[in-house]
Structure formats: structure tokens, C-alpha cells
Amino acid sequence: MSLIAFASAKGSPGVTQTVTALAASWPTDPVVADLDPVGGDVALRSTAPDGTPLETERGLLSYAVALRGGRDAALDDHLQLLDDGTPVLAGVRSPAQVQGLGMAWPSVARGLAADPRDVLADCGRIVPGTPVGPVIEAADALVLVARSEVESLAHLRERLLGLREPLRISSIGSVGVGVVLVGDPGDRRSREDLERLLASAGVPVPVFGTVAYDPKAVRALRTASPRAQRRSLLFRSLVDVTSRIRELAGARAGGYDERQVV
């Protein structure tokens, strides 16, 4: 299936909310991988099906240790279930723990890309030299999440300009890149303005739409009935975004062995 990386250009625009909401509305059963190198939020915001906190020692760090030295490791051994049944690879608790991953990132990338399920990876803020770079390069799609505000869109444009060469944006065989805005789904102007801004800057990546910013609704979405979900503004804002992300990832999925992970 597909490995899809989600990241922000600056600050906290709602990447974790977007990933967890997408997982709740995804048409198949995905895995959520919390890979934010400055500390993951998924485990802090969620509980296990029995209401207890997620285990702090099982997740990304234990998976990386198991992969050390080029060894094989079963991803399922390091996953935990959220209260809605979504399997999650819990993230590190602090930036200091990232040091424990060492050179395991390429192996983590290969393991996630080879999983038979769709993997939605929260990669946090994307900056030059980010340790999660191998995962982004191995992904079938990179989705940048930004608030629909002028300053956030300006930072997004600059980040995409910086990524144009490393990711060979718009080149044949490169990682597919798209943008999801977080804000008012009825604000079509921000999406249209951003598409024009990116095209004029030489990075004509698609803007998939705007996801409603409503952190409290994410948990309700995961536990609501299908009928209640369909009435939710958050769910309705995810429908078209989800299909467009899957289409982008599907254009590259299936050829991981041909990719170069550095």
C-alpha cells in the first residue's frame, strides 16, 4: 500500500490533528506513525481501547532498536491500538530520544514503506537536515499542512522552494507533493490564492482543500456512528481531501525497491 508523510513548514498548524482525523475517516484500515523528531503528540492525546495510557516504551524507539544493524523486525510488534482500534507507532517523548535512533531511520523508512497497509506518518516540522528525511524520501506522497493565514502560506512557499531541488518536485518518479490547509473549509479564496502563489514561484503543487480546525471534534469523529460522522463539518471537509491524497500516493506506490533512500 502507500506510505504518506505529513509535515508542516513552520509552527504547529495542525499536522497531528489532520493525520488522526484522516485515519478515522480513511476508507481502509491505516497505520498512524508518529515520527515527529521533537516529540510525538498522538500518544499524549489518545488512550488504549481500555482507557489506559499508551505504553511509553513501545513504538518508534523500540522499532528502531529492533532494526539496528540491518536486522528484520515486525512492525506489528511495536504498534499499539488507539481507543478506536487504529494501530499507531507511538513517537518519542523528547528530542533527546531521537539520538537513540541513530542510523536506523532508513530502515524505519523501508519497514513503513513495505507494510501492506496505508501508513500515515506524522513527520512534524520539515526543516533542512531533519532526521526523518529518509522517510520523506521513501514516501509515496508528502503532504504539507499549513494554516490558511497569510504568514503561514508565505512560510509554506519558502519551504517548498527549498524542497524543489532535493525532492525534484514535479519531476517524473519523484515524491508526489501536495498541500492541505487547516482553517475554514468554506474559504475557497485562500486555496485559490495559494495555488496561484505557488505556481508563480515555480512550485506548482496541488492544494487539496481545507480541513476544518476543530481538535475536539477529532476524538468525537473516531467514536461517532457513521451517520453522526457524515453530519460533522470535520468529516465532510476530509472527504475530498482524502481521495485526492490517495490518488497522489497511488501514482507512485508499489515501486519501493526502485527508490533511493538516503
Side-chain angles (χ1 to χ4, degrees):
M1 298 293 280
S2 299
L3 169 59
I4 305 171
F6 295 80
S8 70
K10 186 179 186 295
S12 302
V15 177
T16 300
Q17 176 207 296
T18 301
V19 170
T20 52
L22 284 168
S25 61
W26 208 254
T28 60
D29 295 325
V31 171
V32 170
D34 191 352
L35 309 182
D36 191 335
V38 300
D41 290 334
V42 174
L44 298 177
R45 299 181 182 184
S46 308
T47 61
D50 61 1
T52 59
L54 299 183
E55 298 177 33
T56 58
E57 302 303 323
R58 182 152 61 103
L60 173 59
L61 195 59
S62 65
Y63 185 47
V65 170
L67 290 168
R68 188 172 293 164
R71 294 175 295 180
D72 291 330
L75 178 61
D76 281 341
D77 291 344
H78 305 274
L79 298 178
Q80 301 183 63
L81 294 181
L82 300 181
D83 52 5
D84 66 341
T86 299
V88 61
L89 185 69
V92 298
R93 288 172 291 170
S94 69
Q97 287 189 311
V98 174
Q99 298 177 5
L101 273 65
M103 301 299 293
W105 281 109
S107 297
V108 170
R110 285 190 290 270
L112 296 178
D115 196 86
R117 298 158 289 194
D118 287 330
V119 177
L120 313 183
D122 180 349
C123 296
R125 181 181 174 189
I126 186 170
V127 296
T130 176
V132 78
V135 176
I136 293 172
E137 293 167 8
D140 297 299
L142 168 62
V143 178
L144 291 172
V145 181
R147 292 283 181 90
S148 53
E149 302 165 352
V150 174
E151 59 271 25
S152 180
L153 301 184
H155 285 295
L156 174 64
R157 178 192 60 188
E158 295 306 310
R159 182 62 64 226
L160 280 168
L161 285 171
L163 292 171
R164 182 169 52 186
E165 293 302 322
L167 293 182
R168 298 182 295 114
I169 291 176
S170 299
S171 298
I172 296 176
S174 62
V175 178
V177 180
V179 174
V180 167
L181 297 177
V182 176
D184 178 6
D187 179 15
R188 295 181 178 273
R189 182 174 180 177
S190 292
R191 172 182 170 179
E192 294 169 354
D193 287 348
L194 178 58
E195 287 181 328
R196 286 193 293 267
L197 178 67
L198 296 179
S200 65
V203 280
V205 303
V207 181
F208 294 142
T210 303
V211 173
Y213 182 70
D214 191 352
K216 292 183 179 179
V218 175
R219 181 176 176 82
L221 180 67
R222 298 206 318 253
T223 57
S225 67
R227 183 177 181 181
Q229 285 183 342
R230 288 191 293 271
R231 293 200 302 265
S232 163
L233 175 62
L234 176 59
F235 181 85
R236 295 200 304 271
S237 70
L238 289 167
V239 174
D240 288 341
V241 169
T242 299
S243 63
R244 297 190 69 188
I245 291 174
R246 296 185 74 221
E247 181 180 357
L248 178 69
R252 193 187 189 215
Y256 180 77
D257 289 342
E258 298 177 1
R259 307 173 202 162
Q260 181 179 3
V261 181
V262 296

